Amino acid sequence: MKLTKKAFAKINLTLEILGKRRGDGFHDIASVMMKTPELYDEVSIEVYPETETAGKVNFFCDKNVCEPEKNLACRAAKLYFDAAQKETGKKLPSILVALQKHIPSGAGLAGGSADAAAVLNGLDELFGVLSRKELFEIALSLGSDIPFCLADCDAALCTGRGEIIEPLPKPENVRVKIRFPKTPLSTSGIYAEYDRFHGDDYTKNRSFAMAEALKRKAKLEEFAVLMCNDFQELCEKRCPEITEICEKLKSEGAYAQMSGSGSAVFGLWNEN
């Protein structure tokens, strides 16, 4: 038995860092996220029926992204298997998780998070052992973007550390193009760097305004003025090519900004 899932990249129409009142070391954010059908990884899960090798998660990726034990898709599968065995008292049949990567790593597009979510959704289809609540608990334990990637919606307002999801209508008649700087950008410590220059600010409201605009099916020209990314200025200092790509896309008639913590840049156009 085998199934294949598409793991869609996400872009952040807004990304606002609110502060650290949570008390758990994470930041509160407000972000309108959107999945992009233009770019996705392919995640396949094959089930081995042999009972003598039950309970094993085998893993393959066509690109050397990281060690298997660090890969979010592999970790998600193992956590699912552990929870399922605890739930039922039995081992699930062994599986092979295979990734075909198209989403670049470290681009701010949630490629690893999307892969992990696709694995959890795929295992839920195959075995159906865990509740959706348990799936989301596994997702959040692995990363703040994974709950949105797991959710059955194309766009959402994400708050808390990203786990509070309010589904939104996806913008209609909007074309997305994603471009990547030639120079890799390390965003290690980006939250700590942001904190050096900015304090808590829970009055930010562009994400909430963006959500309201999408609810009333505002046109691109109306909601694009609300686009924002609190990390972009910091990342542009590390990688000036981000600025150059944004300006190039704008010269082509797009509304453009960086996604997530970078370094990918996206442009939005009217399809009509």
Side-chain angles (χ1 to χ4, degrees):
M1 188 188 323
K2 181 178 179 179
L3 63 76
T4 300
K5 307 284 288 184
K6 291 180 178 180
F8 294 104
K10 66 86 186 151
I11 57 174
N12 300 82
L13 298 180
T14 64
L15 176 54
E16 297 176 294
I17 313 303
L18 304 182
K20 296 182 69 175
R21 292 181 186 169
R22 301 174 56 86
D24 59 3
F26 290 96
H27 290 71
D28 282 310
I29 68 163
S31 179
V32 174
M33 302 186 192
M34 185 173 84
K35 295 170 185 172
T36 63
E38 295 84 0
L39 181 62
Y40 56 87
D41 292 341
E42 294 176 77
V43 181
S44 67
I45 305 172
E46 186 171 0
V47 179
Y48 299 132
E50 294 85 357
T51 56
E52 63 270 14
T53 59
K56 292 183 179 180
V57 173
N58 303 289
F59 181 78
F60 169 79
C61 182
D62 67 344
K63 290 185 175 61
N64 187 22
V65 178
C66 62
E67 297 297 319
E69 59 270 17
K70 295 180 181 179
N71 189 284
L72 288 173
C74 185
R75 292 170 61 194
K78 289 182 176 179
L79 287 175
Y80 185 98
F81 268 48
D82 290 344
Q85 184 173 351
K86 184 177 180 181
E87 186 88 15
T88 65
K90 298 178 182 179
K91 292 182 178 180
L92 294 176
S94 292
I95 60 170
L96 169 64
V97 175
L99 304 186
Q100 284 188 284
K101 291 291 294 178
H102 305 290
I103 305 171
S105 300
L109 300 173
S113 296
D115 295 341
V119 166
L120 291 173
N121 275 325
L123 293 174
D124 186 43
E125 284 186 32
L126 288 167
F127 301 119
V129 174
L130 303 181
S131 67
R132 292 300 289 179
K133 179 176 181 292
E134 290 169 312
L135 292 178
F136 275 93
E137 287 171 353
I138 292 174
L140 186 60
S141 75
L142 291 170
S144 298
D145 283 340
I146 304 178
F148 169 68
C149 296
L150 183 66
D152 185 21
C153 59
D154 293 323
L157 171 65
C158 302
T159 53
R161 53 176 275 211
E163 83 282 12
I164 303 171
I165 299 166
E166 180 186 345
L168 296 170
K170 186 176 181 179
E172 297 178 353
N173 302 316
V174 172
R175 177 166 55 93
V176 181
K177 183 182 290 186
I178 301 173
R179 292 183 178 169
F180 307 94
K182 296 176 183 176
T183 305
L185 172 66
S186 172
T187 56
S188 174
I190 191 70
Y191 275 97
E193 187 174 351
Y194 182 86
D195 288 339
R196 283 174 51 207
F197 298 100
H198 305 277
D200 289 1
D201 185 355
Y202 282 77
T203 67
K204 295 176 182 177
N205 63 1
R206 294 183 77 164
S207 296
F208 299 101
M210 175 71 79
E212 291 304 314
L214 295 186
K215 287 177 187 176
R216 65 174 186 269
K217 299 189 181 298
K219 294 181 180 180
L220 174 60
E221 293 80 6
E222 298 175 63
F223 72 76
V225 296
L226 298 167
M227 287 167 52
C228 62
N229 186 332
D230 282 351
F231 285 142
Q232 184 159 335
E233 184 178 355
L234 288 175
C235 291
E236 285 176 330
K237 292 177 181 177
R238 297 185 181 190
C239 180
E241 196 178 356
I242 293 171
T243 308
E244 296 171 11
I245 294 174
C246 277
E247 292 306 314
K248 180 68 165 60
L249 288 170
K250 289 175 182 178
S251 72
E252 297 172 6
Y255 297 90
Q257 75 175 21
M258 187 184 78
S259 182
S261 56
S263 58
V265 175
F266 66 90
L268 304 180
W269 287 266
N270 279 310
E271 279 192 329
N272 299 333

